[in-house]
Amino acid sequence: MSSASETTPTKRRGRRPAGQDTRAALLEAARAVFAETGYEGATVRGIATRAGVDAAMVNHWFGSKEGLFAQAVLELPFNPAELLDTLLSGPVEELSERIVRTFLTRWDESGGGMFAALVRSVAGHEQVAQVLREFFLNHLFTRLADKVGGEDAQFRATLCASQVIGMGMIRYVARFEPLASTDVETMVTAVAPTLQRYLTGPID
Amino acid sequence: MSSASETTPTKRRGRRPAGQDTRAALLEAARAVFAETGYEGATVRGIATRAGVDAAMVNHWFGSKEGLFAQAVLELPFNPAELLDTLLSGPVEELSERIVRTFLTRWDESGGGMFAALVRSVAGHEQVAQVLREFFLNHLFTRLADKVGGEDAQFRATLCASQVIGMGMIRYVARFEPLASTDVETMVTAVAPTLQRYLTGPID
């Protein structure tokens, strides 16, 4: 999944063997460091030191601090910052369709179990919620808001988040039918106009 | 809170003293019975017998099976079936505004803590999710769908639920700003058009 996955690491200064052990050590260290220092306070170097491996291993296995956070704390099957790059690369008029389609396709692939696990984690641990909040606000919402523009852009970004998260709650956690089994394109048609209004339409 | 609160119970066949002990015994019995038999399978009489009190006590303390379920399992500060009666009593064109306003006003009163607790409970226990699903589908969504009409009414009801639950997730669980602190009427203006389209507008 990492964009650096074709690179073979040549230098191994850590105490642990390379490969899956390094990856596991980084995940464990990252969970501890993010919980102790918050998202902003955590550094790639600090996490690597704690794991006893070279900082280059973070880039090798996770692409970036965001990618490590996504896998260690959120246990996402993708890097949300990279995903947002892709989403934001197209015209803003089609952004809402891309968001709904991508969100549902990615989470459907895991049967929704990973979304439910994330909700459990955020709802059950204020520490996780706090780190998530910082990450979303500073890295996802701010960039979405920059794309949208205007002084109420952050409000618009959180409105979008409310519809996307709610769609996930009904589809993967509460599993209310028929929404839980509705095909992705029908969902895009029904929900994308909501996001598009939140992003660029009249909201006051 | 109960509509029968002015009635003084005259017959006490139960083993427990009346008053708060009766109420507590009913809540405990209800949690067990709903978990064992599901929402439909549970009877007022069965719950009362398990609690060792007269079945009339359910009506006295909770108004109905729905009211008991709302307090025992969902730990809601209100009876959702009664609330829905109020919401559905007005014209369908204003239904979306009433839903958003009522939802936020009720949950804001508890500081959102009760909403977060409900999400934890549903996300953490498939048994609770299952009972909740049955209750929502058969008692809330079906009635909302009846009001709305049309063959896709259940899909429309679950779309509404997705936006309402998502608003609660962002406001009370993730607490993303500025949405988390936005005043109720600004939220109504921003979100009600979404619900109105889901209820009565074009969705395909």
Side-chain angles (χ1 to χ4, degrees):
Chain A
M1 300 293 265
S2 161
S3 57
S5 58
E6 67 278 12
T7 311
T8 304
T10 52
K11 228 165 78 180
R12 289 175 186 146
R13 298 191 312 194
R15 294 188 305 270
R16 291 169 185 269
Q20 290 302 322
D21 284 353
T22 297
R23 190 172 175 281
L26 279 169
L27 286 172
E28 191 185 330
R31 283 187 203 105
V33 172
F34 282 127
E36 285 166 20
T37 66
Y39 183 79
E40 294 306 324
T43 65
V44 164
R45 185 161 302 277
I47 292 168
T49 301
R50 178 119 167 193
V53 304
D54 193 276
M57 289 298 104
V58 171
N59 194 55
H60 174 71
W61 285 103
F62 303 99
S64 61
K65 183 166 96 168
E66 287 93 335
L68 180 54
F69 176 77
Q71 297 214 358
V73 179
L74 307 184
E75 301 184 53
L76 297 182
F78 50 85
N79 179 333
E82 282 178 15
L83 193 59
L84 193 65
D85 284 339
T86 311
L87 288 173
L88 294 181
S89 64
V92 73
E93 295 73 28
E94 296 162 13
L95 187 50
S96 60
E97 289 191 14
R98 290 199 301 278
I99 291 173
V100 177
R101 187 175 294 117
T102 304
F103 179 88
L104 291 177
T105 306
R106 293 289 179 124
W107 291 108
D108 278 5
E109 281 166 5
S110 78
M114 284 177 165
F115 183 88
L118 175 60
V119 169
R120 261 196 301 281
S121 178
V122 172
H125 306 283
E126 175 52 25
Q127 210 172 38
V128 175
Q130 177 61 37
V131 178
L132 184 80
R133 202 172 294 138
E134 199 185 337
F135 177 76
F136 267 68
L137 289 179
N138 295 344
H139 292 268
L140 302 187
F141 292 172
T142 299
R143 290 175 57 210
L144 183 59
D146 282 350
K147 177 86 176 183
V148 171
E151 64 181 19
D152 55 1
Q154 284 276 4
F155 182 46
R156 289 175 180 275
T158 48
L159 283 170
C160 279
S162 79
Q163 176 58 85
V164 172
I165 299 297
M167 194 169 60
M169 289 295 294
I170 296 296
R171 192 172 178 95
Y172 305 124
V173 180
R175 296 208 306 280
F176 289 151
E177 295 294 357
L179 193 152
S181 315
T182 298
D183 67 279
V184 171
E185 289 309 312
T186 303
M187 288 299 300
V188 169
T189 305
V191 174
T194 296
L195 295 192
Q196 201 61 47
R197 186 173 66 83
Y198 289 159
L199 289 170
T200 58
I203 57 165
D204 56 12
Chain B
M1 302 288 265
S2 161
S3 59
S5 57
E6 68 277 13
T7 311
T8 304
T10 51
K11 227 164 80 179
R12 286 174 189 147
R13 300 191 310 193
R15 295 187 306 270
R16 290 169 187 269
Q20 290 301 322
D21 283 352
T22 297
R23 191 173 175 281
L26 279 169
L27 286 173
E28 193 184 327
R31 283 187 203 105
V33 172
F34 282 127
E36 285 166 19
T37 67
Y39 182 79
E40 294 306 325
T43 65
V44 164
R45 186 162 300 277
I47 292 168
T49 300
R50 177 122 169 192
V53 305
D54 193 277
M57 289 298 103
V58 170
N59 194 54
H60 175 70
W61 284 103
F62 303 100
S64 61
K65 183 167 96 168
E66 286 93 335
L68 179 55
F69 176 76
Q71 297 214 357
V73 180
L74 307 184
E75 300 185 53
L76 297 182
F78 50 85
N79 179 333
E82 282 178 14
L83 192 61
L84 193 65
D85 284 339
T86 311
L87 288 173
L88 294 182
S89 64
V92 72
E93 295 72 30
E94 296 162 13
L95 187 50
S96 61
E97 290 191 12
R98 290 198 301 277
I99 292 174
V100 177
R101 188 175 293 117
T102 303
F103 179 88
L104 291 176
T105 306
R106 294 290 179 122
W107 291 108
D108 278 6
E109 280 167 6
S110 79
M114 284 177 168
F115 183 88
L118 176 60
V119 169
R120 261 197 301 281
S121 179
V122 172
H125 307 282
E126 174 52 27
Q127 211 171 38
V128 175
Q130 177 61 39
V131 179
L132 183 82
R133 202 172 294 139
E134 200 184 336
F135 177 75
F136 267 67
L137 289 179
N138 295 344
H139 293 268
L140 302 186
F141 291 174
T142 300
R143 290 177 55 209
L144 182 59
D146 282 349
K147 177 86 176 183
V148 171
E151 64 182 20
D152 55 1
Q154 285 275 3
F155 182 46
R156 290 175 180 275
T158 48
L159 283 170
C160 279
S162 79
Q163 176 58 86
V164 171
I165 299 296
M167 193 169 62
M169 289 295 294
I170 296 297
R171 192 173 179 94
Y172 305 124
V173 179
R175 296 208 306 281
F176 288 151
E177 297 292 357
L179 193 152
S181 315
T182 298
D183 68 279
V184 171
E185 289 309 312
T186 303
M187 288 300 299
V188 169
T189 305
V191 174
T194 296
L195 295 193
Q196 200 61 50
R197 185 172 67 82
Y198 289 160
L199 288 170
T200 58
I203 57 165
D204 55 14

